[in-house]
Amino acid sequence: MDKLLIIGGNRLHGEITISGAKNAALPILCASLLAETPLQLSAVAALKDIDTTLKLLGIMGVKVARNGDKVSLDASEVASFEATYDMVKTMRASILVLGPLLARFGTARVSLPGGCAIGSRPVDLHIKGLQAMGAAIHITHGYIQASTLHLPNRRLQGARYYMDLVTVTGTENLMMAAALAEGTTVLENAAKEPEVVDLAEMLIKMGANITGAGTDVITVVGVEKLNGTTHNVVCDRIEAGTYMVAAAMTGGEVKLLNARADLLDAVIEKLREAGAVVTSEGDTITVKSDGKLKAVNIRTAPHPAFPTDMQAQFMALNTVATGVAKVTETIFENRFMHVQEMQRMGADISIDGNTALVKGVPYLDGATVMATDLRASASLVLAGLVARGETTIERIYHLDRGYENLEDKLNALGANVKRIA
Ligand code: EPZ
């Protein structure tokens, strides 16, 4: 199993290009199921989760062609409407085929995603929303069996649905389902993440009638059919945020291309509070730092508040910052798996419920640590970049799910990172 070997202590200098967003690409790829004609995408990152999604769509009968970051998907001859346990257990975002399959074909059989390292992650709101649109849904033998064949014209019916928790993929699934429903759907307490907005923008180009994406009320007037279009996937704000924290922690000056500051207000605010100098121009962000940072309190919440996907990275920053920081995770019930690994490197962190108290220490010691989930792995890379000596990170397949060419990008900035089999 691959490992990363990091020799800490190098300041980062130079520029790298941020890839297309994983969490925009995943729903966008699944949206291909809604289209009668081919979808042409660009800025689709080379990530494990993208490979998994393309494989799942291919098994269903979507004709997939890929050339670098360009992907075309033709769902004119889909023959299977199922996402098996084997597929879903490797990537829970496979649940995003449920809405499109129901909307276009009236039937779907999707394995219930299990929990994962960061929490139980139920999909009850996805299911309740589809039931509000008239879908008949039975959970049997670990599968979601869904159908609209009993409905007028066999189509989902527009509905008003209030999500009692803000759910990103729940909002995306229901927005895709509503796009081909009969009548108008109003999704209330909708997620406002930029990835939801990017999906909506693409659906509108495909012929969908959607207003309010990016606000907490999304209105979708169903249409008869959707066609393919061309779309460039929005940049990955979490990848960008991760490298911005790397620059702030190591000290140096890093310029990120294809990085939109307007998607990262809460993260930039915290980096400035910690003492980094963050400037931006168009889709370029520059971070300058002397590496001496102040501890910053973090409280995660739905966009535009501080993103949960950046919590672990700021935990790493706080371990070597001056002062004491409170890090509160309000979205997932078990997203502190990186703490015990950082403690092995000498971090001074104590956990009380969903809050961690982080006391900055003068330095971390390199150690062998284990990745447990995607963003926890990224935070261990950050810790390794500033630790004294050598850090070995095991199980880095977690990293490959969400960071394209991570070691190449870091080494291009002057880090010393090697992948060892
Ligand atoms: C998306 O996950 C992202 N994944 C996650 O990124 C991200 O951490 C999360 O949103 C929050 O921003 C993708 O977009 C593929 P939620 P998602 O539904 O949609 C509860 C990464 O590192 N909930 O917004 O699965 C849920 O348990 C990944 O890239 C229900 O109770 O998250 C959680 O506590 C990790 N019932 C909260 O809502 C439901 O039906 C938010 O979850 C749905 C969610």
CSV table of all heavy atoms in Angstrom, one decimal, residues 22 24-34 39 41 44-45 47 49-55 57 62 64 66 70-73 75 91 96-97 100 176 199 202 206 233:
chain,number,residue,atom,x,y,z
A,22,LYS,N,-13.5,18.2,-7.0
A,22,LYS,CA,-14.0,16.9,-6.9
A,22,LYS,C,-15.5,16.9,-6.6
A,22,LYS,O,-16.3,16.2,-7.2
A,22,LYS,CB,-13.3,16.1,-5.8
A,22,LYS,CG,-14.0,14.9,-5.3
A,22,LYS,CD,-13.2,14.1,-4.2
A,22,LYS,CE,-13.5,14.6,-2.8
A,22,LYS,NZ,-14.8,14.1,-2.2
A,24,ALA,N,-17.7,19.1,-7.1
A,24,ALA,CA,-18.6,19.5,-8.2
A,24,ALA,C,-18.7,18.5,-9.3
A,24,ALA,O,-19.7,18.2,-9.8
A,24,ALA,CB,-18.1,20.9,-8.8
A,25,ALA,N,-17.5,17.9,-9.6
A,25,ALA,CA,-17.5,16.9,-10.7
A,25,ALA,C,-18.3,15.7,-10.4
A,25,ALA,O,-19.0,15.2,-11.3
A,25,ALA,CB,-16.0,16.5,-10.9
A,26,LEU,N,-18.4,15.2,-9.2
A,26,LEU,CA,-19.2,14.0,-8.9
A,26,LEU,C,-20.6,14.2,-9.2
A,26,LEU,O,-21.2,13.4,-10.0
A,26,LEU,CB,-18.9,13.6,-7.4
A,26,LEU,CG,-17.5,13.2,-7.1
A,26,LEU,CD1,-17.4,12.8,-5.6
A,26,LEU,CD2,-17.0,12.0,-8.0
A,27,PRO,N,-21.3,15.2,-8.7
A,27,PRO,CA,-22.8,15.3,-9.1
A,27,PRO,C,-22.9,15.6,-10.6
A,27,PRO,O,-23.8,15.2,-11.3
A,27,PRO,CB,-23.3,16.5,-8.3
A,27,PRO,CG,-22.1,17.2,-7.8
A,27,PRO,CD,-21.0,16.2,-7.7
A,28,ILE,N,-21.9,16.4,-11.2
A,28,ILE,CA,-22.0,16.8,-12.6
A,28,ILE,C,-21.9,15.5,-13.5
A,28,ILE,O,-22.6,15.4,-14.5
A,28,ILE,CB,-20.9,17.8,-12.9
A,28,ILE,CG1,-21.4,19.2,-12.4
A,28,ILE,CG2,-20.5,17.8,-14.4
A,28,ILE,CD1,-20.4,20.3,-12.5
A,29,LEU,N,-21.0,14.6,-13.1
A,29,LEU,CA,-20.9,13.4,-13.9
A,29,LEU,C,-22.2,12.6,-13.8
A,29,LEU,O,-22.7,12.1,-14.8
A,29,LEU,CB,-19.8,12.5,-13.4
A,29,LEU,CG,-18.4,13.0,-13.6
A,29,LEU,CD1,-17.3,12.2,-12.8
A,29,LEU,CD2,-18.0,13.1,-15.1
A,30,CYS,N,-22.8,12.5,-12.6
A,30,CYS,CA,-24.1,11.8,-12.5
A,30,CYS,C,-25.2,12.5,-13.2
A,30,CYS,O,-26.1,11.8,-13.7
A,30,CYS,CB,-24.4,11.7,-11.0
A,30,CYS,SG,-23.2,10.7,-10.1
A,31,ALA,N,-25.1,13.8,-13.4
A,31,ALA,CA,-26.2,14.5,-14.1
A,31,ALA,C,-26.2,14.1,-15.6
A,31,ALA,O,-27.2,14.3,-16.3
A,31,ALA,CB,-25.9,16.0,-14.0
A,32,SER,N,-25.1,13.5,-16.1
A,32,SER,CA,-25.1,13.0,-17.5
A,32,SER,C,-26.3,12.0,-17.7
A,32,SER,O,-26.8,12.0,-18.8
A,32,SER,CB,-23.8,12.3,-17.8
A,32,SER,OG,-23.7,11.1,-17.0
A,33,LEU,N,-26.7,11.4,-16.7
A,33,LEU,CA,-27.9,10.4,-16.8
A,33,LEU,C,-29.2,11.1,-17.2
A,33,LEU,O,-30.1,10.4,-17.7
A,33,LEU,CB,-28.1,9.6,-15.5
A,33,LEU,CG,-27.0,8.7,-15.1
A,33,LEU,CD1,-27.1,8.3,-13.6
A,33,LEU,CD2,-27.0,7.4,-16.0
A,34,LEU,N,-29.2,12.4,-17.0
A,34,LEU,CA,-30.5,13.1,-17.3
A,34,LEU,C,-30.6,13.5,-18.8
A,34,LEU,O,-31.6,13.9,-19.2
A,34,LEU,CB,-30.5,14.4,-16.5
A,34,LEU,CG,-30.6,14.3,-14.9
A,34,LEU,CD1,-30.3,15.6,-14.3
A,34,LEU,CD2,-32.0,13.8,-14.5
A,39,LEU,N,-22.8,14.9,-23.1
A,39,LEU,CA,-22.3,16.0,-22.2
A,39,LEU,C,-20.8,16.0,-22.4
A,39,LEU,O,-20.1,15.0,-22.3
A,39,LEU,CB,-22.7,15.6,-20.8
A,39,LEU,CG,-22.4,16.5,-19.6
A,39,LEU,CD1,-23.1,17.8,-19.8
A,39,LEU,CD2,-22.8,15.9,-18.3
A,41,LEU,N,-17.4,17.6,-20.8
A,41,LEU,CA,-16.9,18.3,-19.6
A,41,LEU,C,-15.4,18.6,-19.8
A,41,LEU,O,-14.7,17.8,-20.5
A,41,LEU,CB,-17.1,17.4,-18.4
A,41,LEU,CG,-18.6,17.1,-18.1
A,41,LEU,CD1,-18.6,16.1,-16.9
A,41,LEU,CD2,-19.4,18.3,-17.8
A,44,VAL,N,-12.0,18.1,-15.4
A,44,VAL,CA,-12.4,17.0,-14.6
A,44,VAL,C,-11.1,16.4,-14.0
A,44,VAL,O,-10.3,15.9,-14.8
A,44,VAL,CB,-13.2,15.9,-15.4
A,44,VAL,CG1,-13.5,14.7,-14.5
A,44,VAL,CG2,-14.4,16.5,-16.0
A,45,ALA,N,-10.9,16.5,-12.7
A,45,ALA,CA,-9.6,16.1,-12.2
A,45,ALA,C,-9.4,14.6,-12.2
A,45,ALA,O,-10.3,13.8,-12.3
A,45,ALA,CB,-9.5,16.5,-10.7
A,47,LEU,N,-8.8,11.8,-10.3
A,47,LEU,CA,-8.9,11.4,-8.9
A,47,LEU,C,-9.6,10.1,-8.8
A,47,LEU,O,-10.4,9.7,-9.7
A,47,LEU,CB,-9.8,12.4,-8.1
A,47,LEU,CG,-9.3,13.9,-8.1
A,47,LEU,CD1,-10.4,14.8,-7.5
A,47,LEU,CD2,-8.1,13.9,-7.2
A,49,ASP,N,-12.0,9.0,-6.9
A,49,ASP,CA,-13.5,9.1,-6.8
A,49,ASP,C,-14.1,9.4,-8.2
A,49,ASP,O,-15.2,8.9,-8.5
A,49,ASP,CB,-13.9,10.2,-5.8
A,49,ASP,CG,-13.9,9.6,-4.4
A,49,ASP,OD1,-13.4,8.5,-4.2
A,49,ASP,OD2,-14.4,10.3,-3.5
A,50,ILE,N,-13.4,10.1,-9.1
A,50,ILE,CA,-13.9,10.4,-10.4
A,50,ILE,C,-13.8,9.1,-11.2
A,50,ILE,O,-14.8,8.7,-11.9
A,50,ILE,CB,-13.0,11.5,-11.1
A,50,ILE,CG1,-13.0,12.8,-10.3
A,50,ILE,CG2,-13.4,11.7,-12.6
A,50,ILE,CD1,-14.2,13.6,-10.3
A,51,ASP,N,-12.7,8.4,-11.1
A,51,ASP,CA,-12.6,7.1,-11.8
A,51,ASP,C,-13.7,6.2,-11.4
A,51,ASP,O,-14.4,5.5,-12.2
A,51,ASP,CB,-11.3,6.4,-11.4
A,51,ASP,CG,-10.0,7.1,-11.9
A,51,ASP,OD1,-10.2,8.1,-12.7
A,51,ASP,OD2,-8.9,6.8,-11.3
A,52,THR,N,-14.0,6.1,-10.1
A,52,THR,CA,-15.1,5.2,-9.6
A,52,THR,C,-16.4,5.6,-10.2
A,52,THR,O,-17.2,4.7,-10.6
A,52,THR,CB,-15.1,5.3,-8.0
A,52,THR,OG1,-13.8,5.0,-7.5
A,52,THR,CG2,-16.2,4.4,-7.4
A,53,THR,N,-16.7,6.9,-10.2
A,53,THR,CA,-18.0,7.4,-10.8
A,53,THR,C,-18.1,7.0,-12.3
A,53,THR,O,-19.1,6.6,-12.7
A,53,THR,CB,-18.1,8.9,-10.5
A,53,THR,OG1,-17.9,9.2,-9.2
A,53,THR,CG2,-19.5,9.4,-11.0
A,54,LEU,N,-17.0,7.2,-13.0
A,54,LEU,CA,-17.0,6.9,-14.4
A,54,LEU,C,-17.2,5.4,-14.7
A,54,LEU,O,-18.0,5.0,-15.6
A,54,LEU,CB,-15.8,7.4,-15.1
A,54,LEU,CG,-15.6,9.0,-15.2
A,54,LEU,CD1,-14.2,9.3,-15.8
A,54,LEU,CD2,-16.7,9.6,-16.0
A,55,LYS,N,-16.6,4.6,-13.8
A,55,LYS,CA,-16.8,3.2,-13.9
A,55,LYS,C,-18.3,2.8,-13.7
A,55,LYS,O,-18.9,2.0,-14.4
A,55,LYS,CB,-15.9,2.5,-12.9
A,55,LYS,CG,-15.8,1.0,-13.0
A,55,LYS,CD,-14.7,0.4,-12.1
A,55,LYS,CE,-14.9,-1.1,-11.9
A,55,LYS,NZ,-14.6,-1.5,-10.5
A,57,LEU,N,-21.0,4.7,-14.0
A,57,LEU,CA,-21.8,5.2,-15.1
A,57,LEU,C,-21.6,4.3,-16.3
A,57,LEU,O,-22.6,3.9,-17.0
A,57,LEU,CB,-21.5,6.6,-15.5
A,57,LEU,CG,-21.8,7.6,-14.4
A,57,LEU,CD1,-21.3,9.0,-14.7
A,57,LEU,CD2,-23.3,7.7,-14.2
A,62,VAL,N,-23.7,4.2,-19.8
A,62,VAL,CA,-23.3,5.5,-20.3
A,62,VAL,C,-21.9,5.3,-21.1
A,62,VAL,O,-21.0,4.6,-20.6
A,62,VAL,CB,-23.0,6.5,-19.2
A,62,VAL,CG1,-22.5,7.8,-19.7
A,62,VAL,CG2,-24.3,6.7,-18.3
A,64,VAL,N,-18.6,6.5,-22.0
A,64,VAL,CA,-17.7,7.5,-21.4
A,64,VAL,C,-16.4,7.5,-22.3
A,64,VAL,O,-15.8,6.5,-22.6
A,64,VAL,CB,-17.3,7.0,-20.0
A,64,VAL,CG1,-16.3,8.0,-19.4
A,64,VAL,CG2,-18.6,7.1,-19.1
A,66,ARG,N,-12.6,9.7,-22.2
A,66,ARG,CA,-11.8,10.6,-21.4
A,66,ARG,C,-10.5,10.9,-22.1
A,66,ARG,O,-9.9,10.0,-22.7
A,66,ARG,CB,-11.5,9.9,-20.1
A,66,ARG,CG,-11.0,10.8,-19.0
A,66,ARG,CD,-10.9,10.1,-17.7
A,66,ARG,NE,-10.6,11.0,-16.6
A,66,ARG,CZ,-10.5,10.6,-15.4
A,66,ARG,NH1,-10.8,9.3,-15.1
A,66,ARG,NH2,-10.2,11.4,-14.4
A,70,LYS,N,-10.6,16.2,-20.1
A,70,LYS,CA,-11.8,16.3,-20.9
A,70,LYS,C,-12.5,15.0,-20.8
A,70,LYS,O,-11.9,13.9,-20.9
A,70,LYS,CB,-11.5,16.5,-22.4
A,70,LYS,CG,-10.5,17.7,-22.6
A,70,LYS,CD,-11.3,19.0,-22.7
A,70,LYS,CE,-10.3,20.2,-23.1
A,70,LYS,NZ,-9.3,20.4,-22.0
A,71,VAL,N,-13.8,15.0,-20.5
A,71,VAL,CA,-14.6,13.8,-20.4
A,71,VAL,C,-15.9,14.0,-21.2
A,71,VAL,O,-16.6,15.1,-21.0
A,71,VAL,CB,-15.0,13.5,-18.9
A,71,VAL,CG1,-15.9,12.3,-18.8
A,71,VAL,CG2,-13.7,13.2,-18.1
A,72,SER,N,-16.3,13.0,-22.0
A,72,SER,CA,-17.6,13.1,-22.6
A,72,SER,C,-18.4,11.9,-22.2
A,72,SER,O,-17.9,10.9,-22.0
A,72,SER,CB,-17.5,13.2,-24.2
A,72,SER,OG,-17.1,11.9,-24.6
A,73,LEU,N,-19.7,12.2,-22.0
A,73,LEU,CA,-20.6,11.1,-21.5
A,73,LEU,C,-21.9,11.2,-22.3
A,73,LEU,O,-22.6,12.2,-22.4
A,73,LEU,CB,-21.0,11.4,-20.0
A,73,LEU,CG,-19.8,11.5,-19.0
A,73,LEU,CD1,-19.6,13.0,-18.6
A,73,LEU,CD2,-20.0,10.7,-17.8
A,75,ALA,N,-25.5,9.3,-22.4
A,75,ALA,CA,-26.4,8.4,-21.7
A,75,ALA,C,-27.6,8.1,-22.6
A,75,ALA,O,-28.7,7.9,-22.0
A,75,ALA,CB,-26.8,9.1,-20.4
A,91,MET,N,-17.4,4.3,-2.7
A,91,MET,CA,-17.6,5.8,-2.8
A,91,MET,C,-19.1,6.1,-2.5
A,91,MET,O,-20.0,5.9,-3.4
A,91,MET,CB,-17.2,6.3,-4.1
A,91,MET,CG,-17.2,7.9,-4.1
A,91,MET,SD,-17.1,8.5,-5.8
A,91,MET,CE,-18.6,7.8,-6.4
A,96,LEU,N,-25.6,9.8,-5.7
A,96,LEU,CA,-26.0,10.9,-6.6
A,96,LEU,C,-26.5,10.4,-7.9
A,96,LEU,O,-27.0,11.2,-8.7
A,96,LEU,CB,-24.8,11.8,-6.8
A,96,LEU,CG,-24.4,12.7,-5.7
A,96,LEU,CD1,-23.0,13.3,-5.9
A,96,LEU,CD2,-25.5,13.8,-5.6
A,97,VAL,N,-26.5,9.0,-8.1
A,97,VAL,CA,-27.2,8.5,-9.4
A,97,VAL,C,-28.7,8.3,-9.1
A,97,VAL,O,-29.5,8.2,-10.0
A,97,VAL,CB,-26.6,7.2,-9.9
A,97,VAL,CG1,-25.1,7.4,-10.2
A,97,VAL,CG2,-26.8,6.1,-8.9
A,100,PRO,N,-31.1,11.3,-10.6
A,100,PRO,CA,-31.2,11.3,-12.1
A,100,PRO,C,-31.8,10.0,-12.6
A,100,PRO,O,-32.6,10.1,-13.6
A,100,PRO,CB,-29.7,11.4,-12.4
A,100,PRO,CG,-29.0,12.1,-11.3
A,100,PRO,CD,-29.8,11.6,-10.1
A,176,MET,N,-31.5,17.6,-9.1
A,176,MET,CA,-31.4,16.8,-10.4
A,176,MET,C,-32.7,16.1,-10.6
A,176,MET,O,-33.3,16.1,-11.8
A,176,MET,CB,-30.3,15.8,-10.3
A,176,MET,CG,-28.9,16.5,-10.4
A,176,MET,SD,-27.5,15.4,-10.7
A,176,MET,CE,-27.3,14.7,-9.0
A,199,LEU,N,-23.3,22.9,-10.3
A,199,LEU,CA,-24.2,21.8,-10.9
A,199,LEU,C,-25.4,22.5,-11.5
A,199,LEU,O,-25.8,22.2,-12.6
A,199,LEU,CB,-24.6,20.8,-9.8
A,199,LEU,CG,-25.7,19.9,-10.2
A,199,LEU,CD1,-25.2,18.9,-11.3
A,199,LEU,CD2,-26.2,19.1,-8.9
A,202,MET,N,-24.8,24.1,-14.8
A,202,MET,CA,-24.7,23.2,-15.9
A,202,MET,C,-26.1,22.7,-16.3
A,202,MET,O,-26.4,22.6,-17.5
A,202,MET,CB,-23.8,22.0,-15.6
A,202,MET,CG,-23.6,21.1,-16.8
A,202,MET,SD,-22.7,19.6,-16.4
A,202,MET,CE,-24.1,18.7,-15.6
A,206,MET,N,-28.3,22.7,-19.8
A,206,MET,CA,-28.8,21.5,-20.4
A,206,MET,C,-30.3,21.7,-20.7
A,206,MET,O,-30.9,20.8,-21.3
A,206,MET,CB,-28.6,20.3,-19.4
A,206,MET,CG,-27.2,19.9,-19.3
A,206,MET,SD,-26.9,18.8,-17.9
A,206,MET,CE,-27.8,17.3,-18.4
A,233,VAL,N,-15.7,22.5,-15.2
A,233,VAL,CA,-15.9,22.3,-13.7
A,233,VAL,C,-15.2,23.4,-12.9
A,233,VAL,O,-14.1,23.7,-13.1
A,233,VAL,CB,-15.5,20.9,-13.3
A,233,VAL,CG1,-15.7,20.7,-11.8
A,233,VAL,CG2,-16.2,19.8,-14.0
